[in-house]
Amino acid sequence: MDQAAVVFIFSLLLIGLHSSPSVKSNNWEIYSFHINTTVTSRYAITVITSRVANSRDNSTEIDFHVKIPKTAFISKFRMTIGEQTYDGVVKEKEMAQQQYTQAVSRGQSTGLVSSVGRTLEDFKTSVTVAAHSKVTFELTYEELLSRRLGKYELLINAQPGQIVKDFKIDVNIYEKTGINFHEVKGSLGEKDMASAVTTTRADEQVWVHFYPTRDQQMQCDGCGETGLKGNLKIHYDVNRPQSQGDVTEHGGYFVHFFAPVDLPRIPKNVVFLIDQSGSMHGRKIEQTRDALLKILDDLAEDDYFGLILFDSKVSPWKHELLQANHNNLKRAKDFVRRIVDRGATDINAAVLKGVEMINKHPRESSASILILLTDGDPTSGETNQGKIQSNVREAIGKKFPLYCLGFGLDVNFEFLQKMAQENSGVGRRIYEDSDAALQLKGFYEEVATPLLTSVQMNYTGATNLTQTTFSHYYNGSEIVVAGQITDNNINDFTTEVIAISKHNKVMYRDTTPTKDEKLPADLSGKENFLQRLWACLTVKQLLEKELMLSGEEKEAVRKMVLDLSLKYSFVTPLTSMVVTKPEGEDTQVANKPKEGEKPPITSRRTMLKLHVQSSPSMRLAQHGPGYVLPQSRQGKAMRGSSGGGAGGGGGRGRSFQGPPGFSMESHSHFLSMPALHGVASRSRPAYPGTDFDLFDDVPESAHLPLATAVSATLTPGTPVRFLMTAEGQSLPLCFDIPAGHSVRLLQDPTSGLSMNGELTSEGGNGFQRIIIHVNASMTIEFDTVKITVKDGQDTVSFMWTDKDADHTTDSLSLIIRDNEADITMTTIRAVILLHWQDGKSFLWPAVRKRPSENAIPGIMGKLPVAYEEIQPAKLRIQGQEVDATSDSAKDYSIKAAPQVRCQLVELKFALQGELSEFTVLQL
Ligand SMILES: *[C@@H]1O[C@H](CO)[C@@H](O)[C@H](O)[C@H]1NC(C)=O
Ligand SMILES: *[C@@H]1O[C@H](CO)[C@@H](O)[C@H](O)[C@H]1NC(C)=O
Ligand SMILES: *[C@@H]1O[C@H](CO)[C@@H](O)[C@H](O)[C@H]1NC(C)=O
Ligand SMILES: *[C@@H]1O[C@H](CO)[C@@H](O)[C@H](O)[C@H]1NC(C)=O
Ligand SMILES: *[C@@H]1O[C@H](CO)[C@@H](O)[C@H](O)[C@H]1NC(C)=O
Ligand SMILES: *[C@@H]1O[C@H](CO)[C@@H](O)[C@H](O)[C@H]1NC(C)=O
């Protein structure tokens, strides 16, 4: 109360603010910037933590400025100044608004959140920090990743605004049916930056670490003195062992992921309605022509199609649907090439004509789709938007979906979105940009392959279900239904999916929900993620539904959204987060602008009017009945559920892939330096132009082969087991080194740096001592108690138990936190992890950024070895036949130390050299 004089708010709607990342690096220093994302069953929770020091003699205003995905909800914000924490509290928007207004009238307000682009929005705040004090900002946001074109995408933006000595992104993905491919993309994951990425995979889990050095933070594309600027995109897909989908149950809630693949495509009847009004003039109409030509090329011969151009007149190419055979396509393309822009916009007449054409063409076993592309409001014929909506709704009569693509920012997107949602489709924005043709084509591809129509998901023994009817299911997408299990009684719970496929009615039943015994330990202690997933999906869908309602129904839905948002502390269009700040500080308002709202042009503070609308979900969900009132019953937290876990699926490419067996039966370890990109290249589905955010979708480039690993076993004197990435194989190699040896881990011939380690002599599974020789005068020594830096005559020591210990010189940064020491030099970034097992502690090294792409001396300097499995228990390595046993090892290069399967071979085959070549007499 006393400490908290002022209030700052972020809500999803107002706006204002200037968006240039402020560069005040000389005033204050971000000494640590961490992004940590945990994905469990597609539900991603990201925490951004920025620690900033004011090193000046005066108090200074310190900014926190990040970009988060538009599709996410902020769920937590905290500032810590000294011992004092300031937590955000989610309140009803109106209430928050009142406080905000009072603050405004006192002249204390500044804006907070704004839209930045297609996929991200800005979050920004600041606080005044006293001389020589520190502040920690922590922002959490949550989102349900949706599947598009065969994969999920986790997008992480990093733009701290200055070079940060301790910058890192850690991602852990857990999917119980197993991850069948993953790739790291985006401007931060490719090209030169790829060497800062390490990925490790153990069946159901993938870890991605992005640890750039300071040099890399300046050198990447678009980066410079102000540090990193770009996106990391992690794409992945999961195994689908059962076509009826996968049901996970956790703490009284369930989620059903349904995406069968073993179905024939259903031929489609598709009509394209193309706006050729005057506003389409120039590049837009050219891009539309380009996209249509490509789309026509992709139609299958058993598809039927129609083309309708409209301005103030409606001009169908032909008055009926034609088969997509060679001749018809050729003529259609000639027609498309001649499309030019003309008059006004008669949306009403155009859509009705399209509906008429489809209705005139009844066809067994086909799926009809209407796609409208427009860049403006209706200006001709019927212009009353409500009237158009009801005309269209009546004409379509729920028989097929209408997709509305709004081209550019001048369209009334809300109108298009409503119209699409009322007709089981979605509204999508096409951004006016050089890649607009690709965006159009990408959208088309999402609906190009219908596999099921009239999908009805039935559940008994469950309540509070999210949407359960879907007009179409397309290949590459996924249907998600979540709900509560009645009385938490799993025995009475059954599922049933009824749908129409190409040839017949199909039914999938009895997807047995499985408990997940294998939920990673770091998840079990947390709030029930499945309940949050359910709440997040429910809120999203209700917000879409609310758009189409009016009067009391609308109010009722809004009430539900509000209750859920408050309960789960989501910042949605109906809620705001209020944060108290130190006495005398400005109030701030963060606004989630409407989808498509133009970003503020200048740094002027602009207040936009309140609007109730969610940013449209990009999911291809169709609307339907089946909203049961969401109201949360507290579920008992219990371990998650585990499914078939068929695992295996096998990684591809060069990066290290650990197979199934997240089991605990054996103790060994592993340290890997997996190649980053390997996986991607082979298994990436070829969907050209898929990505709507193409700017940093850099073409695939150099696949750096990186490698190597380490590991040990428990009993005294037992050898330590090392893992080693294998090129082109999902299973890594592993090999043992007898306890007690001292080995060369890495030696960089260019800088002279070397790292050696002494294996535990009894008990423990790794190293008891590791030394990094930086140069003739400087060493860093690690044992299980302390870390000692010797620089000439100077010696500094830190204990592992020290909180946030930090040692920085011009060319070295050493940070010790949470049993992890992070060492950054010009050419290398490494971490030394302190593990505890069975009461023994030991060290494990991991190289997060290699000094060289080539092989260098040392166990961890090796490049991945290629092997070939010639028969069970026999591998061919470098032309030699080698005995191998299927075994496992723990990957101690990751905090969680997952168990991974490996091919156990003799050391000399894995390292292509004798042990003596890797041992040192003295550390
Ligand atoms: C601190 O601020 C005061 C008043 O703003 C100014 O006069 C003084 O020069 C500042 N001192 C430093 C070290 O910046
Ligand atoms: C659906 O997509 C998968 C790849 O994601 C592909 O293997 C399969 O053939 C597709 N099915 C049809 C009917 O096109
Ligand atoms: C499935 O749900 C639909 C719609 O609620 C209902 O008409 C149908 O009877 C249900 N089928 C079964 C087998 O429960
Ligand atoms: C990331 O967050 C998870 C969940 O809070 C936590 O268990 C894990 O230790 C964090 N990882 C890092 C590297 O901080
Ligand atoms: C959820 O279901 C239970 C049991 O059917 C019901 O009592 C509760 O009101 C429902 N919650 C909401 C928000 O509808
Ligand atoms: C050794 O390395 C440290 C840190 O990189 C540097 O400060 C020091 O000048 C170097 N000393 C010599 C003799 O090269």
Side-chain angles (χ1 to χ4, degrees):
M1 358 262 98
D2 33 359
Q3 94 272 22
V6 193
V7 154
F8 109 81
I9 300 175
F10 38 126
S11 71
L12 287 182
L13 315 164
L14 304 172
I15 258 237
L17 138 83
H18 68 104
S19 47
S20 62
S22 50
V23 185
K24 298 183 198 156
S25 12
N26 41 354
N27 283 0
W28 41 268
E29 183 205 5
I30 302 176
Y31 61 94
S32 156
F33 194 94
H34 291 180
I35 302 177
N36 180 1
T37 304
T38 313
V39 184
T40 313
S41 293
R42 290 64 150 173
Y43 196 64
I45 302 180
T46 300
V47 182
I48 302 178
T49 309
S50 176
R51 296 178 173 88
V52 190
N54 174 16
S55 45
R56 295 207 316 173
D57 296 333
N58 266 2
S59 65
T60 299
E61 191 182 358
I62 290 179
D63 288 347
F64 174 67
H65 184 185
V66 294
K67 297 183 196 313
I68 69 168
K70 279 182 181 172
T71 43
F73 291 138
I74 289 169
S75 58
K76 185 174 167 197
F77 178 71
R78 164 177 283 187
M79 283 187 295
T80 308
I81 304 169
E83 297 294 295
Q84 188 69 53
T85 57
Y86 301 89
D87 276 312
V89 181
V90 171
K91 294 197 177 169
E92 181 176 2
K93 172 160 226 121
E94 262 123 65
M95 273 175 58
Q97 208 58 41
Q98 274 170 14
Q99 286 170 292
Y100 164 67
T101 314
Q102 284 162 11
V104 173
S105 63
R106 292 199 301 268
Q108 291 173 323
S109 164
T110 58
L112 268 217
V113 176
S114 74
S115 161
V116 255
R118 297 182 192 178
T119 47
L120 296 167
E121 71 202 11
D122 253 12
F123 175 85
K124 185 177 177 184
T125 186
S126 65
V127 68
T128 302
V129 175
H132 304 289
S133 302
K134 292 177 174 177
V135 58
T136 300
F137 299 99
E138 194 184 302
L139 179 74
T140 305
Y141 61 85
E142 308 184 14
E143 66 190 309
L144 180 62
L145 305 178
S146 51
R147 186 167 184 252
R148 287 180 55 213
L149 298 166
K151 62 191 174 195
Y152 308 94
E153 175 176 285
L154 175 71
L155 170 70
I156 297 174
N157 179 272
Q159 200 171 333
Q162 51 178 262
I163 291 159
V164 179
K165 70 181 178 205
D166 173 28
F167 180 101
K168 59 187 188 186
I169 301 178
D170 295 291
V171 177
N172 176 219
I173 301 171
Y174 171 75
E175 294 287 351
K176 75 169 182 192
T177 58
I179 292 167
N180 75 3
F181 100 96
H182 70 276
E183 61 183 6
V184 180
K185 297 259 140 188
S187 59
L188 299 184
E190 298 180 288
K191 292 191 185 162
D192 294 349
M193 299 308 283
S195 65
V197 181
T198 48
T199 59
T200 300
R201 184 166 135 177
D203 278 347
E204 305 100 337
Q205 299 199 70
V206 166
W207 286 262
V208 176
H209 300 287
F210 174 68
Y211 283 46
T213 60
R214 285 201 233 189
D215 283 356
Q216 277 181 313
Q217 293 179 39
M218 281 187 279
Q219 286 156 1
C220 52
D221 274 357
C223 308
E225 292 300 312
T226 55
L228 278 177
K229 190 173 177 183
N231 292 332
L232 197 64
K233 293 179 183 176
I234 297 165
H235 296 155
Y236 73 95
D237 200 13
V238 304
N239 294 324
R240 297 176 200 280
Q242 317 180 77
S243 48
Q244 67 265 43
D246 176 63
V247 177
T248 297
E249 182 268 318
H250 193 56
Y253 286 78
F254 78 92
V255 60
H256 185 182
F257 296 107
F258 178 70
V261 284
D262 47 357
L263 290 166
R265 65 179 284 284
I266 301 178
K268 48 183 194 302
N269 310 313
V270 58
V271 175
F272 299 95
L273 305 162
I274 310 297
D275 188 342
Q276 59 171 349
S277 62
S279 53
M280 289 286 285
H281 181 71
R283 194 159 72 149
K284 280 196 210 163
I285 202 87
E286 282 167 31
Q287 290 170 325
T288 304
R289 279 194 304 256
D290 287 353
L292 276 174
L293 290 173
K294 293 203 186 76
I295 288 170
L296 289 173
D297 271 336
D298 278 1
L299 290 175
E301 183 142 9
D302 55 358
D303 285 343
Y304 277 70
F305 71 106
L307 287 169
I308 298 178
L309 304 182
F310 68 97
D311 43 62
S312 50
K313 287 209 324 266
V314 174
S315 331
W317 169 53
K318 299 285 179 218
H319 284 276
E320 74 251 313
L321 301 191
L322 290 190
Q323 194 182 351
N325 60 30
H326 181 73
N327 261 344
N328 287 339
L329 286 177
K330 189 164 172 301
R331 286 187 293 144
K333 286 192 219 164
D334 287 341
F335 174 76
V336 166
R337 287 190 193 98
R338 292 195 304 270
I339 299 177
V340 290
D341 52 286
R342 301 198 311 214
T345 311
D346 188 347
I347 290 181
N348 187 59
V351 179
L352 296 185
K353 178 69 191 173
V355 175
E356 181 199 313
M357 276 169 68
I358 289 186
N359 283 341
K360 268 191 355 210
H361 186 85
R363 207 160 53 112
E364 284 288 296
S365 312
S366 68
S368 298
I369 298 168
L370 206 49
I371 300 177
L372 168 71
L373 172 73
T374 180
D375 75 333
D377 295 342
T379 54
S380 170
E382 178 62 70
T383 55
N384 178 311
Q385 300 185 349
K387 194 77 182 40
I388 298 177
Q389 277 172 245
S390 65
N391 288 345
V392 169
R393 203 166 49 222
E394 203 173 296
I396 292 183
K398 290 258 157 79
K399 289 196 296 287
F400 47 83
L402 165 69
Y403 296 99
C404 296
L405 307 180
F407 201 156
L409 295 177
D410 295 330
V411 288
N412 182 340
F413 189 68
E414 194 173 312
F415 161 66
L416 292 179
Q417 206 183 0
K418 256 191 221 174
M419 195 157 70
Q421 279 168 16
E422 284 177 341
N423 297 288
S424 325
V426 287
R428 188 66 80 71
R429 188 180 290 282
I430 302 296
Y431 292 85
E432 235 181 304
D433 231 317
S434 54
D435 67 339
L438 283 177
Q439 297 176 50
L440 286 167
K441 175 94 184 330
F443 170 77
Y444 168 75
E445 280 173 19
E446 287 180 48
V447 300
T449 317
L451 298 182
L452 293 172
T453 60
S454 310
V455 184
Q456 170 71 44
M457 317 279 290
N458 278 5
Y459 301 88
T460 51
T463 61
N464 299 333
L465 301 169
T466 58
Q467 186 180 331
T468 52
T469 55
F470 302 87
S471 78
H472 288 18
Y473 158 66
Y474 300 100
N475 204 16
S477 72
E478 180 174 67
I479 288 174
V480 182
V481 180
Q484 252 179 291
I485 294 176
T486 312
D487 303 326
N488 200 1
N489 179 358
I490 197 78
N491 299 326
D492 293 344
F493 177 79
T494 63
T495 70
E496 187 177 69
V497 182
I498 300 163
I500 297 168
S501 80
K502 181 176 180 186
H503 301 297
N504 46 4
K505 202 163 169 172
V506 292
M507 189 184 285
Y508 299 92
R509 7 170 58 120
D510 287 335
T511 319
T512 324
T514 44
K515 288 206 194 284
D516 197 340
E517 303 302 336
K518 294 182 191 169
L519 261 194
D522 56 348
L523 288 170
S524 55
K526 276 205 318 212
E527 198 177 354
N528 186 346
F529 80 97
L530 198 43
Q531 189 175 350
R532 296 192 72 83
L533 182 160
W534 166 82
C536 176
L537 184 60
T538 304
V539 166
K540 280 247 144 92
Q541 292 184 350
L542 288 175
L543 283 167
E544 283 166 15
K545 184 176 171 159
E546 186 250 19
L547 197 65
M548 300 184 285
L549 299 173
S550 59
E552 276 177 24
E553 282 180 316
K554 194 182 188 85
E555 283 314 308
V557 169
R558 288 175 63 97
K559 175 79 170 53
M560 286 190 265
V561 172
L562 179 62
D563 290 349
L564 282 172
S565 306
L566 292 174
K567 171 159 183 184
Y568 293 92
S569 112
F570 291 142
V571 179
T572 67
L574 304 184
T575 48
S576 299
M577 190 179 271
V578 179
V579 174
T580 51
K581 290 217 271 182
E583 184 96 46
E585 292 269 324
D586 275 6
T587 297
Q588 296 191 299
V589 179
N591 305 302
K592 189 162 196 159
K594 291 202 305 177
E595 162 59 33
E597 209 152 62
K598 290 178 189 168
I601 298 147
T602 62
S603 62
R604 245 174 338 113
R605 287 173 186 176
T606 348
M607 290 285 298
L608 300 190
K609 60 182 186 303
L610 272 171
H611 249 289
V612 179
Q613 192 201 318
S614 68
S615 59
S617 129
M618 287 300 197
R619 245 163 32 87
L620 281 180
Q622 281 77 35
H623 101 284
Y627 275 98
V628 185
L629 294 199
Q631 193 174 84
S632 23
R633 264 188 314 161
Q634 196 69 41
K636 271 180 272 141
M638 56 201 303
R639 305 293 301 246
S641 33
S642 147
R652 297 135 176 162
R654 286 168 223 170
S655 106
F656 158 74
Q657 318 286 346
F662 192 66
S663 56
M664 297 299 169
E665 76 262 16
S666 119
H667 299 294
S668 22
H669 338 303
F670 161 30
L671 153 110
S672 85
M673 278 278 319
L676 316 178
H677 276 138
V679 183
S681 40
R682 215 195 96 196
S683 51
R684 183 184 189 185
Y687 295 121
T690 286
D691 201 323
F692 276 40
D693 190 7
L694 290 163
F695 286 122
D696 41 21
D697 221 4
V698 184
E700 289 188 16
S701 55
H703 295 190
L704 305 187
L706 307 175
T708 333
V710 197
S711 148
T713 327
L714 274 186
T715 35
T718 50
V720 176
R721 181 158 298 173
F722 288 70
L723 279 152
M724 183 157 179
T725 309
E727 172 149 13
Q729 291 283 350
S730 60
L731 286 195
L733 294 177
C734 50
F735 59 91
D736 291 337
I737 297 185
H741 279 283
S742 291
V743 294
R744 171 165 294 128
L745 291 165
L746 195 74
Q747 186 169 33
D748 178 14
T750 328
S751 65
L753 176 141
S754 69
M755 173 153 68
N756 298 329
E758 183 184 347
L759 296 175
T760 43
S761 50
E762 49 185 82
N765 283 339
F767 294 84
Q768 56 195 23
R769 221 151 54 97
I770 292 174
I771 296 191
I772 298 173
H773 298 273
V774 180
N775 56 31
S777 60
M778 183 166 193
T779 59
I780 312 170
E781 177 171 350
F782 302 82
D783 61 33
T784 54
V785 177
K786 63 184 186 308
I787 295 118
T788 309
V789 182
K790 289 197 183 116
D791 190 357
Q793 303 302 316
D794 301 332
T795 300
V796 203
S797 276
F798 305 94
M799 308 299 285
W800 280 104
T801 47
D802 285 350
K803 249 191 136 187
D804 283 0
D806 181 337
H807 178 77
T808 306
T809 66
D810 286 347
S811 50
L812 167 83
S813 135
L814 169 69
I815 291 154
I816 300 143
R817 187 176 293 135
D818 303 332
N819 292 333
E820 186 175 314
D822 185 340
I823 309 108
T824 311
M825 278 162 282
T826 340
T827 55
I828 186 170
R829 192 147 176 206
V831 295
I832 309 291
L833 296 121
L834 178 69
H835 286 281
W836 281 88
Q837 203 167 289
D838 302 332
K840 302 269 187 191
S841 57
F842 57 90
L843 302 170
W844 205 263
V847 175
R848 298 281 193 236
K849 188 214 171 276
R850 276 174 71 96
S852 164
E853 292 165 26
N854 303 319
I856 50 176
I859 293 175
M860 293 165 60
K862 289 263 153 193
L863 295 180
V865 169
Y867 71 79
E868 204 187 324
E869 195 159 2
I870 36 186
Q871 44 175 291
K874 271 266 187 279
L875 306 182
R876 193 189 327 270
I877 300 177
Q878 303 271 314
Q880 254 179 307
E881 273 191 27
V882 172
D883 290 331
T885 21
S886 187
D887 212 307
S888 69
K890 274 195 174 186
D891 186 349
Y892 285 115
S893 70
I894 297 174
K895 228 179 223 170
Q899 187 93 22
V900 299
R901 276 202 293 135
C902 58
Q903 298 273 16
L904 180 64
V905 297
E906 268 185 75
L907 171 147
K908 62 181 178 206
F909 300 119
L911 291 180
Q912 291 291 305
E914 297 296 329
L915 177 59
S916 58
E917 294 169 36
F918 296 91
T919 51
V920 290
L921 292 174
Q922 212 187 347
L923 282 193

